Each structure stands twice: as C-alpha cells, then as structure tokens.
Amino acid sequence: YSYLPIDCAFELNIRRQLMDLSGKDVIVTGGNVGIGRPTALELARLGASVTIIGRNEATCSEAINEITDTTGKFEGLKYKIVDLASFSAIQKFADEYKASHTKLDILVNNAGLCNPPINKTEQGIEATTGINYLGHFFLTHLLKDLLIPV
C-alpha cells in the first residue's frame, strides 16, 4: 500500500486487525481479474474461505496462486469456471455449491463485461445485460437460501 497516503494505509491496517472473517464462506464473481482479484485476496487475508468464479481457467489458477503466495493460505481457496452468460452454467454451479455448502456469508457480484462486440447470450439476451445484470441476478436468486437464514 505504498501508493496510499500514510493515514489511509494506517487505517487499512487497523481495519484488518479488527475484522476477522474466519469461518465465513465467500463467493467473488470475476475474482480472477480486475478489481475482483484484490477483493478476493483481501477477503482471504481476513480469513474467509473464498470461491472465485471466472471464465478463464488460467487466470483463475493465477489468482489462487497469488492469494496463496501473498497470504500463505491455501485451505478454503478454490475457483470454479462459470460463464455468467449461460443460465444453465449458473444453475449447475449453484446446484453444486448448495450440495457442498450449508451457508454463504458474502456474495460479491463483481464480474462484468464492458464494451464487447455485439453478442448475445445463449438465451438471446444482449451480452452486457445478460452477464452484468441478469447472470448475477439469477446467481443471487439461486443462492438466496444460503444467504438468508430461515
């Protein structure tokens, strides 16, 4: 954090000391690239078990390696390849996640597409809308029972 002013870096260190996410289950969509990557890293650093959702296996693997190297933590870190443009892929992931988890403490809907060529999802929806909005909405809907205690 050498690029932050001293008081901001100090405040971040204080916050880290006060926050403990041990035992918390977290999903970060797009946690393999962009702002999702440092988000996943910080959540893992705070002790959370983090599942990264991404489309590219190489960048997902790199993100897991970076988090492991930076935090010294490997247990509880994993990634899943999920195309948020595909409702069937989202459904499959949600079913698998619900079969292996009893709760989800934090869901970071971060993945996004910006200025792609005009494409459509498998449902025929324009890709930006399908991925940035509807894919996340569907994922949240499918996982809501794990997010909201009964």
Side-chain angles (χ1 to χ4, degrees):
Y1 297 101
S2 60
Y3 54 88
L4 293 173
I6 295 290
D7 56 340
C8 290
F10 178 75
E11 185 176 336
L12 278 174
N13 285 329
I14 295 296
R15 284 187 185 167
R16 262 198 212 111
Q17 292 171 12
L18 296 175
M19 293 182 68
D20 180 12
L21 296 180
S22 298
K24 303 293 185 187
D25 293 323
V26 177
I27 294 173
V28 181
T29 67
N32 53 325
V33 294
I35 63 172
R37 196 163 177 159
T39 300
L41 185 140
E42 287 302 317
L43 290 165
R45 189 190 315 261
L46 293 169
S49 294
V50 178
T51 301
I52 292 173
I53 293 179
R55 290 183 301 157
N56 183 299
E57 186 146 9
T59 57
C60 284
S61 181
E62 287 171 14
I64 294 294
N65 290 338
E66 178 186 346
I67 293 169
T68 301
D69 292 345
T70 303
T71 65
K73 175 183 176 176
F74 182 75
E75 188 176 333
L77 295 175
K78 56 185 159 273
Y79 69 87
K80 293 290 184 178
I81 302 303
V82 180
D83 184 356
L84 290 173
S86 167
F87 287 175
S88 60
I90 296 167
Q91 179 78 58
K92 180 179 180 215
F93 168 77
D95 290 345
E96 290 172 359
Y97 192 86
K98 287 163 65 170
S100 62
H101 292 78
T102 58
K103 67 182 176 68
L104 174 59
D105 299 291
I106 302 170
L107 174 60
V108 181
N109 286 324
N110 165 74
L113 192 61
C114 182
N115 298 324
I118 302 299
N119 289 323
K120 293 191 175 189
T121 67
E122 66 183 31
Q123 289 78 33
I125 301 164
E126 188 275 323
T128 304
T129 301
I131 293 168
N132 296 1
Y133 301 101
L134 299 178
H136 282 125
F137 178 83
F138 189 49
L139 178 64
T140 303
H141 172 73
L142 293 173
L143 296 175
K144 73 179 183 288
D145 294 338
L146 297 180
L147 281 165
I148 303 169
V150 179

